[in-house]
Amino acid sequence: MSLSNPVLRDDIFLREDEREASEQRMTIGGTVNKTLLLLVLLIVSGSITWYMNDQGIIEVLSLMTAGLFGMAGMALAIFFFPKTAPLLSPIYAVFSGFALGGISAYMEYEYPGIVANAIMLTMGILFMMLFLYTQRIIKVTQGFISFVVLCTLAIALVTLVDFILNLFGMNVPYIHETGWLGIGISLFIVVIAALNLLVDFNFIEEQTEQGAPKYMEWYGAFGLLLTLVWLYVRILDLLSKFSKED
């Protein structure tokens, strides 16, 4: 239970035989650069789906569906075969953009202005968490990590149960409601997603200090992108509930 983000695992980074064979080591700067590149790819591909919205709903749904399945496939491949991260992480980012572009277009149609607010909040939270971490205002202790892990696992379990119930025309009570209880649940999930960023920063920093292989910069960037995608989607959900309340 050392990390909340499941793709950033100790056993992935701490392979001594790979480190001995690797001439280059993972760096924080390299991980940051690769994260920025993945974000650019996501934004570009997301813009494609976004602007396709004018061409018809079928085209958008097709690309969005391809993006969702592509995200899942690439994530599993990278998770089980980390050495593929330099090749598959950019592809994952492109698929993520296709999916998020479609989701964003739909949400913008339902709630005008919501996407711009969600993007600004996501980026604002990212930089705020980075500032809090680098200035050590919030210390990422083992107890802190354990708390975030448990909360993240609980959210994942509830989400899985809700997905299964939806197949039978039901859902988990309260989490989809627009009252203050539903808003409170969504706000809690956003907070946990934001705290995951701190745990991710800490893990990448630790593995950099311990000399992880160079290709793990891509793997670390991929893990950060997973958290950012989750954070953005949850912010969209939270803002939509506020819009419904109005």
Side-chain angles (χ1 to χ4, degrees):
M1 196 176 292
S2 62
L3 184 69
S4 58
N5 191 327
V7 305
L8 301 181
R9 314 191 311 271
D10 286 334
D11 62 317
I12 290 296
F13 284 81
L14 302 178
R15 292 177 178 172
E16 294 300 332
D17 57 331
E18 291 182 355
R19 289 183 180 178
E20 293 174 359
S22 176
E23 296 182 356
Q24 294 182 310
R25 303 300 186 211
M26 177 182 183
T27 66
I28 292 178
T31 305
V32 169
N33 291 336
K34 290 171 177 61
T35 302
L36 292 175
L37 176 60
L38 295 183
L39 283 173
V40 169
L41 291 174
L42 186 150
I43 293 171
V44 171
S45 59
S47 299
I48 294 174
T49 315
W50 173 274
Y51 288 111
M52 281 183 62
N53 190 49
D54 296 332
Q55 300 181 16
I57 189 64
I58 295 178
E59 290 79 3
V60 173
L61 285 176
S62 298
L63 196 55
M64 183 177 70
T65 302
L68 290 171
F69 280 104
M71 284 176 64
M74 293 300 102
L76 288 173
I78 297 170
F79 179 77
F80 287 110
F81 306 101
K83 285 188 176 181
T84 64
L87 173 64
L88 298 186
S89 292
I91 299 176
Y92 169 82
V94 171
F95 278 128
S96 296
F98 289 154
L100 293 185
I103 294 171
S104 299
Y106 170 77
M107 296 297 287
E108 183 69 16
Y109 176 79
E110 291 290 326
Y111 313 102
I114 191 174
V115 171
N117 290 330
I119 292 174
M120 288 189 293
L121 282 172
T122 302
M123 292 297 101
I125 290 173
L126 171 62
F127 289 114
M128 180 180 70
M129 292 296 107
L130 184 59
F131 174 79
L132 293 175
Y133 179 76
T134 56
Q135 299 301 311
R136 300 300 190 258
I137 296 175
I138 297 180
K139 295 184 178 180
V140 183
T141 63
Q142 188 59 45
F144 178 90
I145 294 173
S146 298
F147 170 76
V148 175
V149 169
L150 290 175
C151 291
T152 303
L153 290 175
I155 292 169
L157 179 60
V158 172
T159 302
L160 177 61
V161 171
D162 184 63
F163 174 77
I164 295 173
L165 289 177
N166 279 331
L167 298 178
F168 300 94
M170 301 178 289
N171 54 57
V172 175
Y174 306 119
I175 65 173
H176 297 292
E177 293 183 4
T178 58
W180 287 107
L181 180 57
I183 291 175
I185 292 173
S186 293
L187 180 59
F188 172 76
I189 296 175
V190 168
V191 170
I192 296 301
L195 294 180
N196 268 272
L197 290 172
L198 294 176
V199 178
D200 293 347
F201 296 152
N202 178 73
F203 189 79
I204 290 173
E205 182 179 42
E206 286 185 348
Q207 301 315 311
T208 298
E209 293 174 351
Q210 296 178 32
K214 187 69 174 178
Y215 68 84
M216 280 301 178
E217 291 177 351
W218 285 103
Y219 197 87
F222 160 69
L224 276 176
L225 191 65
L226 276 178
T227 301
L228 287 173
V229 168
W230 181 38
L231 177 62
Y232 172 73
V233 171
R234 298 316 306 184
I235 288 175
L236 276 179
D237 176 66
L238 176 62
L239 293 179
S240 69
K241 289 183 177 180
F242 277 115
S243 297
K244 290 176 183 177
E245 278 290 292
D246 295 337

